[in-house]
Amino acid sequence: MTDTSLRSMDAIFEDLRSLAQSEGALHDLSEIIYRDWVLNVDLHEGKVTDAPSERWSSDKLNTNELLLLLGLLVQAPDDRTYATVEVGSGFASKADGLLRELHDRINADAAAVFDPKSRKFLEKREALGMFAREAIYYGAASFYIHQFAKFARHRFRADGTWLLQNAGISIRPMIEIATFIASQITAQMDATGRARAAAEELNKGDLTSSLLLPKAMLRKKFGFKVDKFIAKFATPIQGANPDFCTPFSVNAAFIAPLIDLGDHLYVPSQYRLMESIYESPFYWMVGDKAYCDKAAANRGVFLEETAAHVMRKVFGEENVFLNARFPDAAGHKGEEIDVLVRYGEFVLVVQAKSKRITLKARAGDPEALRMDFKGAIKDPFEQALASGELIKACAKCVDADGAIIRLPKLPRVFPIVLLSDMFPAATNLSRSMLDRKEGDPAPVIWDIGFLDCASRLLPSPIEMLFYLKARGDGFDCIVSDSEHNYLGYHIRAKLALPPEVGLMVIERDFATVVDDYMISADLGLEPMRPKGVLETIAVPVIAELLSELRNAPPEIAAVVIELYEFSGAALEEVGSNIAMLRNEVAKTRKPIKAFSLPTASGGLTYAVTLDASERSHAAAAAIGRKHKYETKSDRWYVIVDSISTEGPIDGLLPLVWPWVEDADEADRAAQVARMFRSQREEILIGATKPQHD
């Protein structure tokens, strides 16, 4: 039931309006900006120095809340909000209280339509919309400020003529002006912050001054283009934004986040300014009926080409294909793939969609949310699944030029939905809104900002593939409100659910390692990439083995993934077994000793041999094949390690084909068991059970 002790949203909103239009409110907002949006960064270390408890505090206002106050402020009919500086107004505490009350109201509306026991929405038309509204409004951002400029340049490159003719300015000068504004404000805030740290006497008006830029400065540097820029990205300080009547209605201060004070521009959020550069031009273009289809097509091409470019940096040019298709599957839902990546046994099916969430959906309109979700996530996910089925059926696949793409016969497929814009809470919403059948892989729903981030923090195929697998394995039991939290947790501790835990919630502070790296890039630094827990393994023998395996051919990627899934204790036991076999072969001069153990997808045989001959390789393969058949596994991997050579790897044999009952295979397995006197020995290493041959 709805909590009747809470006030209505309309009542709370009206109190927020009164507060936002009070005497000197603009200067009070400046004080809140300094309180909640200033980060202290060690430029040498490339790290934020603020304590995590302060950095990730839920008491801080988010961008939507700041712009809500600003959107109400600019509705004031006169100059009362900025003409004077009020002392001791209590604005910040009142704003905190009202916005907390608003959040409680939104949460209560969502709770009234969600049954926590069944974890399902009640049968009410508005149920999903109410639940999604909170997740969307308070969800974490997924782009970093420098990414907006990088991607906007490519996103609107093909629309230059339209922009010049209709907006009077193309995308490059928009980016240059916005970047200059953001940099100048950052420098001014830095100077003000240093003055405050030195105990200089500053009032709220001084804080506001640090957020102002004279238009004359911009005109001197950029000329006539500045006025065209201001016309698109600035909202007047008073008498503006009349249609902003609920927290979820159109807010001019969100769309045009610079505030025009006449001779100066007030810059409340550098982030939102750069985000507007990336988002807004498309909406100008779709308003032109004669150009909207072309604009949409250009946006789609941008996303596909950018996705392919990012994937090529990770997986290599030869493994990434743009606009792949199945020529013999005309009319099939999975007939076309926007970006296809192959790497050994692994295939990434990327369906790129440029649809974003509408204002109606953000406001909790259930039909709008369903339509947006269907177009942006549901349809492309189902298309990716359908393409995956064609791949598993070994359907003929060709690239954009018609050349055949050779794909694995027993593939591991990752369906990925890639968005051009942020779709807040997309991953959490997909748990409720996607109809997944048993056996369907978990969805990966990323926007281009997060893909770019992940590609920089996981720059090798092995690291990216293992993260995708870990992300999918934990999809239904590991929950968080941001993809950056998952990635940060994975880098620090490996994304896996402890065996004694049924559900894990990852909080925002786990994103710290990601945030430090990307914020350093925001500041133009070249930070060192943080090494993940799997890159810093110091287990004897295993560290050397993994170091060499990471650079092995794509066909061997699966072996590394198998080893990555082991716990630290299991890796130590494997390392101990390898050392023991090496010593035994060196001492006894036996031709081969091996141990085998099951893994999540099949199993692994590690064979230590006296020499690196073909006969030794054949013997190791026979042992692996025996275990593959006896365990009814589709996949089994064999590593050959000869003591006659220096390196830990002399052969890598992937035994990958569907298991079928076969009398000849059974006879061969029995012969191998007799020949090598195979012995099963169970040792507790998590779930692994080594068998010695």
Side-chain angles (χ1 to χ4, degrees), residues 392-635:
K392 292 173 184 176
C394 298
K396 177 183 176 183
C397 185
V398 300
D399 64 16
D401 297 322
I404 292 177
I405 302 172
R406 301 198 178 280
L407 297 174
K409 289 185 168 55
L410 195 62
R412 302 192 199 189
V413 179
F414 293 113
I416 299 175
V417 176
L418 188 68
L419 307 173
S420 62
D421 296 272
M422 290 186 282
F423 196 115
T427 297
N428 285 339
L429 288 173
S430 67
R431 290 189 175 88
S432 301
M433 298 181 71
L434 285 179
D435 297 322
R436 287 166 57 208
K437 304 181 187 69
E438 187 175 351
D440 281 349
V444 175
I445 304 165
W446 291 350
D447 56 49
I448 194 67
F450 182 77
L451 174 63
D452 176 58
C453 174
S455 74
R456 290 195 247 172
L457 286 159
L458 306 170
S460 74
I462 298 295
E463 304 301 325
M464 179 68 81
L465 289 170
F466 181 61
Y467 178 66
L468 285 168
K469 184 179 187 306
R471 184 74 187 81
D473 290 346
F475 180 80
D476 294 310
C477 50
I478 303 176
V479 179
S480 190
D481 69 344
S482 168
E483 287 293 330
H484 295 95
N485 302 354
Y486 293 112
L487 179 57
Y489 188 97
H490 181 76
I491 290 171
R492 286 169 56 176
K494 190 166 72 169
L495 189 63
L497 194 71
E500 70 279 5
V501 176
L503 177 70
M504 181 165 68
V505 178
I506 300 177
E507 298 293 347
R508 189 72 173 116
D509 58 335
F510 278 99
T512 299
V513 65
V514 178
D515 220 45
D516 280 344
Y517 180 80
M518 295 299 284
I519 286 175
S520 295
D522 279 346
L523 296 173
L525 306 177
E526 295 184 4
M528 291 288 292
R529 180 180 67 86
K531 288 188 176 182
V533 64
L534 297 167
E535 295 178 272
T536 56
I537 291 172
V539 177
V541 180
I542 293 297
E544 182 187 15
L545 177 65
L546 287 177
S547 177
E548 188 161 339
L549 279 173
R550 288 189 192 104
N551 300 313
E555 293 73 22
I556 310 305
V559 178
V560 193
I561 303 296
E562 300 293 302
L563 289 171
Y564 270 7
E565 291 201 286
F566 287 7
S567 67
L571 288 174
E572 288 181 3
E573 187 68 29
V574 170
S576 175
N577 272 277
I578 293 172
M580 181 181 67
L581 293 191
R582 286 177 179 173
N583 290 334
E584 185 174 349
V585 170
K587 182 178 180 180
T588 65
R589 311 303 290 174
K590 289 182 179 179
I592 184 171
K593 288 291 291 183
F595 69 89
S596 301
L597 64 162
T599 64
S601 64
L604 174 69
T605 291
Y606 195 100
V608 177
T609 63
L610 189 60
D611 58 41
S613 65
E614 289 186 14
R615 183 176 181 180
S616 295
H617 280 65
I623 293 171
R625 190 161 183 153
K626 162 193 173 292
H627 289 296
K628 178 184 187 301
Y629 185 77
E630 289 180 343
T631 58
K632 300 182 179 181
S633 300
D634 292 336
R635 295 178 172 85

Side-chain angles (χ1 to χ4, degrees), residues 17-268:
R17 189 196 308 276
S18 297
L19 180 66
Q21 295 177 18
S22 59
E23 298 284 339
L26 184 69
H27 309 297
D28 289 307
L29 271 181
S30 299
E31 189 173 45
I32 289 177
I33 289 168
Y34 269 86
R35 184 194 71 181
D36 291 351
W37 280 279
V38 173
L39 287 176
N40 297 295
V41 181
D42 183 326
L43 297 180
H44 179 70
E45 293 289 333
K47 291 183 178 181
V48 177
T49 58
D50 300 316
S53 58
E54 296 178 10
R55 181 174 177 180
W56 304 113
S57 172
S58 59
D59 291 335
K60 292 183 176 183
L61 305 190
N62 71 8
T63 302
N64 285 327
E65 291 172 312
L66 169 67
L67 291 168
L68 181 151
L69 290 170
L70 202 61
L72 293 172
L73 183 150
V74 299
Q75 293 177 341
D78 50 40
D79 64 1
R80 74 182 75 150
T81 60
Y82 61 94
T84 59
V85 178
E86 296 293 311
V87 178
S89 64
F91 182 98
S93 61
K94 292 174 186 175
D96 289 341
L98 286 169
L99 288 166
R100 192 174 303 114
E101 187 180 5
L102 176 65
H103 198 169
D104 290 343
R105 174 75 270 168
I106 293 170
N107 274 331
D109 291 343
V113 294
F114 186 74
D115 179 10
K117 289 185 178 179
S118 65
R119 297 180 63 81
K120 292 183 178 180
F121 295 101
L122 304 179
E123 294 301 321
K124 294 183 179 180
R125 180 181 177 278
E126 75 279 8
L128 184 59
M130 289 296 177
F131 189 81
R133 185 169 64 178
E134 190 278 338
I136 292 168
Y137 199 78
Y138 297 98
S142 61
F143 279 68
Y144 285 85
I145 196 167
H146 71 277
Q147 293 177 309
F148 291 125
K150 178 173 74 170
F151 290 132
R153 181 173 289 111
H154 299 291
R155 192 181 203 191
F156 300 112
R157 182 173 50 194
D159 302 303
T161 300
W162 188 96
L163 288 170
L164 281 172
Q165 291 176 348
N166 294 271
I169 184 171
S170 62
I171 192 62
R172 186 174 291 275
M174 285 186 217
I175 294 170
E176 290 172 350
I177 295 170
T179 301
F180 176 80
I181 291 172
S183 299
Q184 187 66 25
I185 293 298
T186 298
Q188 291 174 191
M189 293 181 74
D190 181 58
T192 301
R194 292 178 188 278
R196 295 176 87 190
E200 290 187 27
E201 290 289 336
L202 298 176
N203 62 29
K204 290 181 283 188
D206 295 319
L207 302 184
T208 296
S209 295
S210 72
L211 302 175
L212 293 176
L213 270 186
K215 292 180 181 177
M217 175 195 290
L218 297 175
R219 290 187 180 113
K220 183 177 180 180
K221 185 171 181 64
F222 297 103
F224 72 93
K225 296 173 185 176
V226 167
D227 292 321
K228 300 294 184 182
F229 179 89
I230 291 172
K232 290 296 186 182
F233 295 103
T235 299
I237 184 64
Q238 63 189 59
N241 206 19
D243 296 328
F244 186 46
C245 52
T246 76
F248 305 101
S249 53
V250 176
N251 182 0
F254 188 85
I255 297 169
L258 298 174
I259 305 302
D260 192 340
L261 278 77
D263 292 333
H264 292 80
L265 295 174
Y266 179 77
V267 187

